[in-house]
Amino acid sequence: MNKIKLLLSFLIVSTVGHAQNQINSFYGTNGFVSTAVTNATAPNQSSSGADQNWTFSGFVPLGTTIFTNETPTVTETTTYPGSTSVIVTNSTQGTISTTGKMFTKNTSGTVSITGLDSGGLNINFNGGTNGSGNATLGLFPMTYPFTYTDNTVSGNYVNGTNTGTFSGTLTTTVDGYGVLNLPDYGYSGNVTRLKTVLSVTLYLSIFPIGTASQTTYAYYENNDPTSNFKFRSLNTVVSATGINQNDTTYDIGTMPIMGNAHHMLESVWIQNPVEKTITINSSSAIENTTINVTDMLGKTIYQTKNETIKGTLEIPISITKGMYFITIGNGNGTITKKLIKN
């Protein structure tokens, strides 16, 4: 049961294309890359309706996710009956990479989720007959103020030797439009927002063991031919036997512009504790950097110049147990962070 909290981790994570205050399709650009970010202060997304002004800032990048669209195999269509497309996510944060799959069914524009598979956890929306347990989002295109509720979501999950069932509802809403501002990433544009709320009861055998829900907000630029979200958040809440989870993840679908190079430098993060290498991470390329490592007395024990940090930069180094400082700088400024060697 220790992974039941992941039940919703990959639900409603696809890219969506749309036009003016309208969401045209559930399936976005093949190969789209988003940036996973974190924020010490949760963005306020409570406002909805027409002519909104959403401004979200203070994000620090964690890694990247690549979205690809595939055709299900024969085995997958047997496991998830009716599936017509698979959305595959390949995520990387530091040295950790994960892959997830969302199986979907598209029937004349009506899109449903048929299954999820990730990290040894399998979720099948196969309750009822003829796909009646599928999690149906509704008929695309969706125009503001669209809303649809599927009251017959149900199926089963398998997690190692643990199995169970679930049932509940999925409500999909195009709940607002206006201007989205992401100053950290130099972005401002007219967007339409898609909101989904999944609420299910979890069962072992015939006995309810708790509840799970996920609320997703995703923002799509009007008339953007790339058909990819600009910002998305997923809040997952699980209250069940042995589990008490309330997690929120954020993804940004636009890269920082060069005018925000200083922010890019500030968003670099260092993996601690240090083992045999210093691992420096950045979701965007930062060029011509000078890297200095000093001890607590200010003595320089390592220095390198003209480095490019893109993704992950590993620097082999031999240091003794203790605390150190690493300073990274270029023409846009400098940052200093702690290093810990256990």
Side-chain angles (χ1 to χ4, degrees), residues 273-336:
V274 174
E275 297 297 335
K276 295 181 180 180
T277 61
I278 298 173
T279 303
I280 306 172
N281 301 276
S282 175
S283 60
S284 303
I286 305 176
E287 299 179 341
N288 300 319
T289 61
T290 297
I291 301 172
N292 288 281
V293 178
T294 60
D295 62 18
M296 293 292 290
L297 299 177
K299 180 182 177 181
T300 298
I301 60 176
Y302 179 87
Q303 183 181 75
T304 183
K305 297 181 179 181
N306 299 319
E307 293 282 358
T308 295
I309 306 171
K310 185 177 182 181
T312 299
L313 174 64
E314 293 187 344
I315 301 175
I317 190 171
S318 177
I319 54 178
T320 59
K321 180 178 179 181
M323 181 180 295
Y324 301 83
F325 296 98
I326 181 169
T327 299
I328 303 171
N330 60 14
N332 298 297
T334 62
I335 58 166
T336 299

Side-chain angles (χ1 to χ4, degrees), residues 154-177:
S154 62
N156 61 72
Y157 60 86
V158 178
N159 175 36
T161 58
N162 297 315
T163 63
T165 61
F166 59 89
S167 64
T169 65
L170 173 65
T171 298
T172 304
T173 309
V174 181
D175 76 331
Y177 65 87

Side-chain angles (χ1 to χ4, degrees), residues 36-324:
V37 297
T38 187
N39 199 321
T41 303
N44 184 352
Q45 301 181 83
S46 60
S47 62
S48 61
D51 300 320
Q52 294 296 313
N53 192 311
W54 297 290
T55 299
F56 308 136
S57 62
F59 296 106
V60 175
L62 298 175
T64 58
T65 298
I66 302 174
F67 296 83
T68 55
N69 302 316
E70 299 181 358
T71 300
T73 65
V74 173
T75 300
E76 289 171 339
T77 55
T78 300
T79 303
Y80 308 99
S83 298
T84 59
S85 182
V86 187
I87 301 171
V88 182
T89 58
N90 290 288
S91 301
T92 302
Q93 294 191 18
T95 59
I96 300 174
S97 297
T98 57
T99 298
K101 291 185 175 182
M102 176 195 291
F103 300 89
T104 67
K105 177 175 66 179
N106 187 345
T107 305
S108 300
T110 297
V111 177
S112 303
I113 312 299
T114 58
L116 305 167
D117 188 12
S118 177
L121 179 65
N122 175 272
I123 303 169
N124 203 324
F125 294 87
N126 61 352
T129 58
N130 298 321
S132 62
N134 295 166
T136 300
L137 289 93
L139 177 65
F140 289 83
M142 299 175 178
T143 304
Y144 173 83
F146 172 89
T147 185
Y148 176 80
T149 298
D150 181 352
N151 292 306
T152 60
V153 174
S154 62
N156 61 72
Y157 60 86
V158 178
N159 175 36
T161 58
N162 297 315
T163 63
T165 61
F166 59 89
S167 64
T169 65
L170 173 65
T171 298
T172 304
T173 309
V174 181
D175 76 331
Y177 65 87
V179 176
L180 172 66
N181 302 294
L182 301 171
D184 297 342
Y185 285 75
Y187 175 80
S188 180
N190 295 314
V191 298
T192 301
R193 186 170 75 178
L194 178 70
K195 178 183 179 181
T196 61
V197 180
L198 176 71
S199 299
V200 298
T201 299
L202 306 175
Y203 298 88
L204 279 179
S205 184
I206 61 173
F207 303 104
I209 62 169
T211 60
S213 67
Q214 183 185 74
T215 300
T216 303
Y217 292 102
Y219 301 75
Y220 305 93
E221 184 176 291
N222 299 339
N223 303 316
D224 181 359
T226 65
S227 302
N228 302 317
F229 64 77
K230 296 303 178 184
F231 178 70
R232 184 193 63 197
S233 69
L234 299 91
N235 174 245
T236 302
V237 179
V238 181
S239 179
T241 304
I243 303 171
N244 185 13
Q245 177 197 11
N246 189 335
D247 294 334
T248 302
T249 62
Y250 304 103
D251 286 273
I252 291 177
T254 182
M255 298 302 292
I257 62 173
M258 293 306 295
N260 288 297
H262 183 62
H263 171 77
M264 294 162 59
L265 190 62
E266 289 181 332
S267 65
V268 166
W269 62 283
I270 310 296
Q271 182 173 313
N272 274 304
V274 174
E275 297 297 335
K276 295 181 180 180
T277 61
I278 298 173
T279 303
I280 306 172
N281 301 276
S282 175
S283 60
S284 303
I286 305 176
E287 299 179 341
N288 300 319
T289 61
T290 297
I291 301 172
N292 288 281
V293 178
T294 60
D295 62 18
M296 293 292 290
L297 299 177
K299 180 182 177 181
T300 298
I301 60 176
Y302 179 87
Q303 183 181 75
T304 183
K305 297 181 179 181
N306 299 319
E307 293 282 358
T308 295
I309 306 171
K310 185 177 182 181
T312 299
L313 174 64
E314 293 187 344
I315 301 175
I317 190 171
S318 177
I319 54 178
T320 59
K321 180 178 179 181
M323 181 180 295
Y324 301 83

